[in-house]
Amino acid sequence: MVLSTGNGVNGFTLDPSIGEFILTASNMTIPSKGKIYSTNEGNAQYLDEKLQKYLYDCKFPKAGKPKAARYVGSMVADVHRTICYGGVFMYPANSTAANGKLRLLYECNPMSYIVEQAGGKAVTGRGQERVLDVVPTKLHERCPIFLGSSEDIDVILSYLNE
C-alpha cells in the first residue's frame, strides 16, 4: 500500500503474521526520467497523430535504446511500477473517447496526488493543465491522463504542443 498525507510518499506491506502494515519504503521518490512507457497500445489507431509519433519514437528512437513497453491494464499496478522505476503511464483522450476513459475523481486524482507527492507530474495533455487543477462538473467525469517522471511528461507535452 502506498500512502501520502501531504508530505511525501511512503510504502507499506502487510505482515500477515501480526495483521499489520509495516513501513517498507519511506520517502518514495519517482526518478526524474525513466525507461518505461505504459499505455494501452491496442488503442493506438485512435490516438492523435502527435501521440502516435511519440509512441513510434519510444520504440524507434533516433539515438539510444528504445523505451520498454509495459502495460498491466490495472492503473494501480502500472502507476506503482512507474513510481518505483520511473517512466510514464498514460490513458489519453482518443477519437473514440474524447475525454479519456479513466474517472477524474476516483482514478485520476488519487493517482495524480501520489505521483506529484513522489516528485512526478500528472497532466491532462490539454496544454500544461495539471490533473489536480481540473474542476469536476460530474461525479463520474472522465479525464485524459499522463503521469510519471517529470522529464518524461515534459517530453510528451512537447509532442502534444508541436
Side-chain angles (χ1 to χ4, degrees), residues 3 12 51 56-57 60 101 105 118 131 135 140-141:
L3 174 73
F12 298 84
L51 278 177
Y56 180 86
D57 289 349
F60 305 101
K101 177 190 169 209
L105 289 175
V131 172
V135 177
H140 303 294
E141 182 173 345

Side-chain angles (χ1 to χ4, degrees), residues 29-33 75 79 82-83 86-90 108-125 127-133 144-158 161:
T29 57
I30 187 169
S32 62
K33 187 174 184 176
M75 184 186 197
V79 172
T82 302
I83 291 170
V88 297
F89 168 86
M90 59 182 164
C108 296
N109 275 346
M111 292 297 141
S112 296
Y113 180 74
I114 297 273
V115 166
E116 286 192 6
Q117 284 291 308
K121 289 184 178 180
V123 298
T124 64
Q128 301 287 326
E129 182 181 43
R130 291 173 60 235
V131 172
L132 294 175
D133 288 339
I145 189 165
F146 301 83
L147 58 77
S149 298
S150 58
E151 289 182 36
D152 292 328
I153 295 301
D154 289 342
V155 168
I156 291 173
L157 289 174
S158 73
N161 295 321

Side-chain angles (χ1 to χ4, degrees), residues 7-25:
N7 189 25
V9 175
N10 293 299
F12 298 84
T13 303
L14 177 64
D15 182 341
S17 68
I18 60 174
E20 293 184 12
F21 284 91
I22 306 299
L23 176 65
T24 52

